Amino acid sequence: MGVILEDQVRSARTYPPVTSGKLHHSYVLAVWFLMTSLILTYGFYRGQPLLYMLIALIFLVAVFPLVRNGLLGRPNDIGEPILFIAFLYLLHFGVRAIYLDHIPGDAFGAYWGVAPSYSPDVAIATLSYVIVGITAMMFGYYSSVSKSIARMLPKSRKVFAPLGRIWPIYVILILGSVGQTVLFLSGYGTATTGKIVIPVYLNFLQTLASLLPIGIVLHLAMTVSSGKRLERAASAILVLLYIITSLLQGWRGFLLSLIWMVILPIHYLQKRVSLARFAIIGMICLLITMIILIPVLSYYRAQLVQPEASLTDSLRLAFRSNSSDFGDSLRFVFNRMLGFDSLMLLTESHERLWGQTLGYAILAFIPRALWPGKPNLDVGRLFAVRFWEQPVDVQNSISVMNIGDLLWNFDLLGVAIGMLLFGLLYRVIYDYLLTRPTTSSVFIYTILFTRLINIESGVGIFLTGIVITIFTLLLTVGIVRGLGRVRMRYSQGGQIYPGYKSISGG
């Protein structure tokens, strides 16, 4: 039985059309105008018209991608990064600003010393920076420059060529499982380790452990439309394995990340998922996270710092001792979004580093094995020590945000130019990998997507993470393709690679 090349399949196959998710322009404009009017009216009612005018502007800019698609009659692609990133900025700054206007005592909740008082004037100045930043990001994303760059990039065979057989993926999964297991046994596999010393082998183990989710996504991408029940059952088992390891790690938000890992391969390789359906799925996962995962895993993480704590015993006790209610979890979520608080501290301080933390992007590439005395390059930890009065011996980080790091280094000009470049980066990656999606490109984009939407990290570490992730993904694809390389020949009705349906006539 012969084999059909993936390039032939891609050129002959018609991908599922995107017919859902279109919004009529009149409804779009009506909702846009109504929400903006409500925010402005409520601002006058609260006696803070300027504050709520800026919040309304953030809302206008954040929902601009949806409005633009609606006015142009285009469908909303759930995998388009600007949609979710803009929504995150709206949550972190627009919604958080409204929350603190009502409960100012929750501002700077993670402060170690005497927390500063919430100031509406500082909040107004902070929101002004945010509006400049997200507006510049939109300009970068929708500029013709980003599209031109994506078209000029060569379509590398390392990204778009056939992957081959599926069995090499299990080698990747085994390596990732070994790395994750060793991390657990050494005490560094959980969100709360209680350890200060960073061993030289930690980066290697973390990289090895990262192969587990990478292998799971790659397996999903190759089997999502193969129609083989055994392979789909294997994917389901792998997803369950991911859930178990995430619970043992104490990762409270893993379910929200799992959505992208599962839905994006389905969305691009099998059946398009509408924005409305995705919103429903996301809301269900968010409720599960808030009602169950946050209280349970918060208790679990508190148990882990106890002497002789056992992972399984701590998790069992956590599920039995869940005493938090929905209100506590909701307040936790609101107070988890400290980006607005951080930006207020930076706005008020006027301290500028002029590129100091961006240099971390270069130092991050030096292995700790070659530099045993390599300092901690966590910008969030540096920020916590300088602005939140955190003791230097405490291993904890505070979200500085991409936009906050730009402000901290280069003031308003850095925010404008940096966010413009972020918009360009988002669009180039999206257009390059998904203009004509293949199994390889969808796999790479799915993993990269979870990096792109990380708006809470510093700029240097964010860019370093993107580069390292791309290198790891290309290396993974190369290993899978090399191990599974077989002699290719063409025949009518031949079998093709997993993830693609047969085309009669070859």
Side-chain angles (χ1 to χ4, degrees):
M1 183 170 289
V3 176
I4 296 180
L5 283 175
E6 186 176 17
D7 290 336
Q8 285 186 315
V9 174
R10 198 170 68 244
S11 62
R13 178 185 179 189
T14 301
Y15 283 88
V18 187
T19 56
S20 58
K22 293 184 179 180
L23 302 175
H24 193 275
H25 65 275
S26 59
Y27 297 138
V28 170
L29 290 177
V31 172
W32 203 22
F33 177 78
L34 177 61
M35 290 299 300
T36 305
S37 301
L38 288 175
I39 295 173
L40 292 173
T41 302
Y42 189 69
F44 280 101
Y45 170 77
R46 291 284 299 174
Q48 292 286 352
L50 182 56
L51 176 68
Y52 280 83
M53 183 188 72
L54 295 175
I55 294 173
L57 287 175
I58 291 176
F59 170 77
L60 288 174
V61 178
V63 301
F64 171 76
L66 294 175
V67 175
R68 180 178 181 272
N69 290 339
L71 294 177
L72 296 177
R74 296 177 179 174
N76 291 300
D77 183 6
I78 64 169
E80 190 170 5
I82 197 65
L83 296 179
F84 192 66
I85 291 172
F87 177 70
L88 289 178
Y89 275 101
L90 178 61
L91 283 179
H92 276 274
F93 297 101
V95 175
R96 178 66 174 170
I98 295 175
Y99 178 82
L100 291 182
D101 182 54
H102 288 78
I103 312 177
D106 277 2
F108 315 106
Y111 209 83
W112 282 79
V114 179
S117 299
Y118 170 78
S119 169
D121 293 335
V122 177
I124 289 171
T126 302
L127 292 179
S128 301
Y129 283 116
V130 175
I131 292 170
V132 171
I134 61 176
T135 302
M137 180 179 68
M138 292 296 173
F139 272 109
Y141 188 86
Y142 288 107
S143 70
S144 58
V145 176
S146 60
K147 297 179 182 179
S148 300
I149 295 175
R151 285 194 296 266
M152 287 188 299
L153 292 176
K155 299 296 183 181
S156 170
R157 287 187 57 82
K158 292 182 179 180
V159 178
F160 296 97
L163 282 175
R165 295 182 177 179
I166 197 171
W167 69 263
I169 298 178
Y170 293 103
V171 177
I172 302 297
L173 290 168
I174 291 172
L175 292 175
S177 299
V178 170
Q180 188 64 71
T181 302
V182 175
L183 276 178
F184 278 133
L185 294 177
S186 61
Y188 291 94
T190 61
T192 306
T193 65
K195 298 188 177 184
I196 302 296
V197 179
I198 301 177
V200 295
Y201 59 81
L202 182 59
N203 287 341
F204 171 75
L205 285 179
Q206 289 175 336
T207 302
L208 196 64
S210 69
L211 293 178
L212 181 59
I214 286 175
I216 293 173
V217 173
L218 185 54
H219 193 279
L220 280 167
M222 291 190 68
T223 63
V224 70
S225 60
S226 66
K228 297 180 179 180
R229 292 184 179 181
L230 183 60
E231 292 176 354
R232 290 189 176 185
S235 291
I237 294 174
L238 290 173
V239 170
L240 180 61
L241 175 63
Y242 177 81
I243 293 175
I244 293 173
T245 56
S246 299
L247 288 172
L248 292 175
Q249 289 171 356
W251 182 14
R252 290 172 291 215
F254 78 89
L255 200 58
L256 302 178
S257 177
L258 183 63
I259 297 175
W260 302 109
M261 292 173 56
V262 175
I263 288 186
L264 287 183
I266 295 174
H267 177 67
Y268 288 113
L269 297 174
Q270 184 183 38
K271 181 180 180 181
R272 295 283 182 161
V273 179
S274 69
L275 183 62
R277 182 176 299 177
F278 177 78
I280 294 173
I281 296 173
M283 185 59 65
I284 293 174
C285 291
L286 180 61
L287 290 175
I288 294 174
T289 299
M290 295 176 63
I291 296 174
I292 300 176
L293 296 181
I294 287 177
V296 167
L297 294 182
S298 295
Y299 182 90
Y300 168 70
R301 291 167 67 155
Q303 290 295 311
L304 286 180
V305 298
Q306 302 299 324
E308 305 299 329
S310 167
L311 292 177
T312 54
D313 290 343
S314 297
L315 192 60
R316 187 181 69 255
L317 288 173
F319 275 100
R320 289 180 177 178
S321 305
N322 179 17
S323 58
S324 299
D325 57 21
F326 182 77
D328 293 334
S329 296
L330 185 62
R331 189 170 185 177
F332 173 86
V333 171
F334 277 119
N335 288 323
R336 169 65 178 78
M337 298 184 294
L338 292 175
F340 181 54
D341 308 51
S342 298
L343 208 59
M344 283 195 290
L345 292 176
L346 290 169
T347 300
E348 194 172 20
S349 74
H350 300 291
E351 176 184 297
R352 301 297 176 255
L353 300 181
W354 306 112
Q356 176 182 330
T357 61
L358 300 185
Y360 288 0
I362 300 175
L363 298 179
F365 288 104
I366 303 176
R368 196 170 294 276
L370 299 179
W371 185 9
K374 180 180 176 180
N376 192 321
L377 302 179
D378 186 356
V379 177
R381 183 172 174 273
L382 173 65
F383 178 70
V385 171
R386 289 201 183 185
F387 286 90
W388 295 76
E389 296 189 5
Q390 176 178 294
V392 294
D393 59 340
V394 174
Q395 299 295 311
N396 187 47
S397 299
I398 299 293
S399 301
V400 67
M401 310 291 287
N402 296 161
I403 190 173
D405 200 19
L406 292 170
L407 178 64
W408 194 9
N409 278 277
F410 300 112
D411 210 87
L412 180 61
L413 184 62
V415 170
I417 297 177
M419 293 297 287
L420 179 75
L421 295 176
F422 268 114
L424 286 171
L425 176 67
Y426 299 146
R427 187 55 182 263
V428 168
I429 292 177
Y430 174 70
D431 281 351
Y432 178 71
L433 292 174
L434 296 180
T435 298
R436 299 184 69 189
T438 66
T439 304
S440 301
S441 66
V442 169
F443 154 67
I444 292 173
Y445 181 77
T446 301
I447 299 295
L448 273 180
F449 185 86
T450 59
R451 285 283 188 178
L452 293 178
I453 62 177
N454 180 20
I455 66 172
E456 297 186 20
S457 69
V459 174
I461 300 302
F462 172 86
L463 297 176
T464 303
I466 292 292
V467 173
I468 293 176
T469 301
I470 291 175
F471 174 78
T472 304
L473 295 177
L474 292 178
L475 182 62
T476 303
V477 169
I479 292 173
V480 171
R481 187 178 293 127
L483 292 176
R485 183 169 293 154
V486 294
R487 181 182 177 184
M488 297 180 183
R489 53 194 176 89
Y490 308 91
S491 65
Q492 184 174 355
Q495 183 178 356
I496 61 176
Y497 289 105
Y500 292 90
K501 300 177 181 178
S502 297
I503 300 175
S504 59

